[in-house]
Amino acid sequence: MENIQIKPTIFFENDAIGWEKIDDFIDRQIVGFDDSVMMVNVRFKKGGIGYLHYHVHIQVTHIAEGKFEVSIGNDKKILKKGDSFFVPSNVEHGVVCLEDGLLIDVFSPMREDFIK
């Protein structure tokens, strides 16, 4: 019996990937994943809220555009384009968009709940 290997997608061209509308202020675009890691672009309009929540996944986020008020546990800070933040597993966190922006989220392991 022949061992068949499925080649994962390794290139993700922005123009070829759709955006999922989360609400009137937030859109999400999944740009790469396997079982161990996932990268997601999250586009915010000013006033958008990533409500406080937590998950088992470790999260690292880079602010590619805009300005956000970021809450992680008991800490709160205003971060802008070029800044990043780290969220340990099961720590409550959220953001408020102060200027239109784009977050690049990386999760480990991948967010199965984002794949429908």
Side-chain angles (χ1 to χ4, degrees):
M1 181 172 210
E2 184 178 332
N3 183 11
I4 299 173
Q5 292 184 340
I6 298 172
K7 185 175 179 181
T9 302
I10 58 173
F11 296 109
F12 293 82
E13 297 178 75
N14 188 54
D15 293 342
I17 303 170
W19 289 83
E20 175 186 3
K21 187 171 189 64
I22 304 303
D23 63 28
D24 289 340
F25 294 91
I26 303 171
D27 299 307
R28 176 170 61 210
Q29 181 187 50
I30 297 172
V31 294
F33 67 94
D34 68 7
D35 290 343
S36 64
V37 69
M38 174 182 271
M39 188 165 74
V40 179
N41 293 329
V42 187
R43 187 169 53 198
F44 280 80
K45 293 179 185 172
K46 181 179 179 178
I49 298 172
Y51 291 98
L52 289 173
H53 65 287
Y54 63 92
H55 42 72
V56 299
H57 313 85
I58 295 168
Q59 177 178 338
V60 180
T61 298
H62 175 73
I63 300 171
E65 295 291 337
K67 186 189 291 187
F68 294 83
E69 179 183 83
V70 180
S71 298
I72 303 171
N74 294 322
D75 296 314
K76 190 179 286 190
K77 190 165 182 88
I78 305 280
L79 297 176
K80 64 184 180 339
K81 179 180 179 177
D83 296 336
S84 299
F85 59 92
F86 175 82
V87 183
S89 177
N90 290 312
V91 173
E92 191 173 55
H93 60 284
V95 299
V96 176
C97 182
L98 304 175
E99 295 176 1
D100 288 359
L102 177 69
L103 301 181
I104 301 172
D105 290 334
V106 178
F107 300 99
S108 179
M110 64 94 76
R111 294 287 303 261
E112 290 183 9
D113 55 319
F114 285 6
I115 306 298
K116 295 184 169 115

